[in-house]
Amino acid sequence: MLYLQELTKKSRDFHNLLRSPVVNADAKLRAVEMVTQGNISPMTLSFIRLMVTKTRESALPEIITSFVQQYKDKKGIQVVKLTTATPVSENMRQAIVARVKQTGNIQNLELQETVDPSIIGGFVLQVGDKLVDASISYDLQQIAKHFDNNDFIYKVR
């Protein structure tokens, strides 16, 4: 399912093929079988065949996303999003995972890493609905707000 999710996200042509009313079911099924050959389980392929024969293949991307989310919920896997200005080393990655597991009381986690040079330095860590923004760009924005409010002028007088 993860392979299919990645495929539908990255390949706009595959996504359009599933949604196209012009392409018949047999052609869609052949295309899906060729693209996924050896990458998905027989049960998943049977499910896709069922979806195509029942003309529900246009909903497949949403079904896949929902399946993956439900699987993570069932297994207690928490998604942790880490954004940094540069790629993190393996030692740093392991330290972050250990710290998040310890402080968040999380047993299973999936680390999704993103590199965003616009944060300049530091990191942004999101665990569920909690956000820790320890980036340089955030600090600079806070300093700019202080200057806009003239906080420094009032403190001098």
Side-chain angles (χ1 to χ4, degrees):
M1 282 300 200
L2 290 174
Y3 175 78
L4 286 172
Q5 184 181 35
E6 196 68 26
L7 185 64
T8 55
K9 283 182 181 179
K10 292 201 176 188
S11 176
R12 191 76 185 143
D13 291 336
F14 183 74
H15 192 266
N16 289 338
L17 171 76
L18 292 174
R19 298 209 184 254
S20 176
V22 178
V23 181
N24 66 16
D26 291 335
K28 287 181 184 181
L29 193 55
R30 279 194 310 268
V32 168
E33 286 175 350
M34 290 180 72
V35 169
T36 61
Q37 188 175 26
N39 293 316
I40 61 173
S41 69
M43 183 182 286
T44 305
L45 186 58
S46 296
F47 175 71
I48 292 171
R49 284 186 184 129
L50 177 67
M51 294 293 291
V52 171
T53 56
K54 299 292 184 181
T55 64
R56 300 285 189 253
E57 68 276 356
S58 61
L60 199 57
E62 290 83 10
I63 291 170
I64 292 168
T65 301
S66 179
F67 176 85
V68 170
Q69 184 59 48
Q70 288 180 25
Y71 177 82
K72 287 177 183 177
D73 291 345
K74 178 82 173 159
K75 296 292 184 178
I77 299 171
Q78 187 77 27
V79 177
V80 176
K81 297 178 182 176
L82 174 67
T83 306
T84 55
T86 59
V88 238
S89 68
E90 185 60 35
N91 291 338
M92 182 63 75
R93 184 179 299 111
Q94 290 175 359
I96 291 170
V97 167
R99 184 72 170 173
V100 168
K101 281 184 175 181
Q102 178 189 15
T103 59
N105 198 17
I106 299 171
Q107 299 302 318
N108 302 320
L109 68 85
E110 175 185 327
L111 186 65
Q112 294 179 349
E113 297 180 55
T114 307
V115 176
D116 182 9
S118 69
I119 68 168
I120 302 171
F123 65 91
V124 178
L125 186 71
Q126 182 178 357
V127 181
D129 60 349
K130 295 180 178 130
L131 181 74
V132 176
D133 193 344
S135 64
I136 301 296
S137 64
Y138 177 76
D139 292 342
L140 291 174
Q141 289 171 359
Q142 295 305 310
I143 291 170
K145 282 183 186 177
H146 288 296
F147 278 116
D148 289 342
N149 294 335
N150 290 326
D151 289 342
F152 299 109
I153 293 174
Y154 297 125
K155 290 179 182 177
V156 171
R157 292 184 186 167

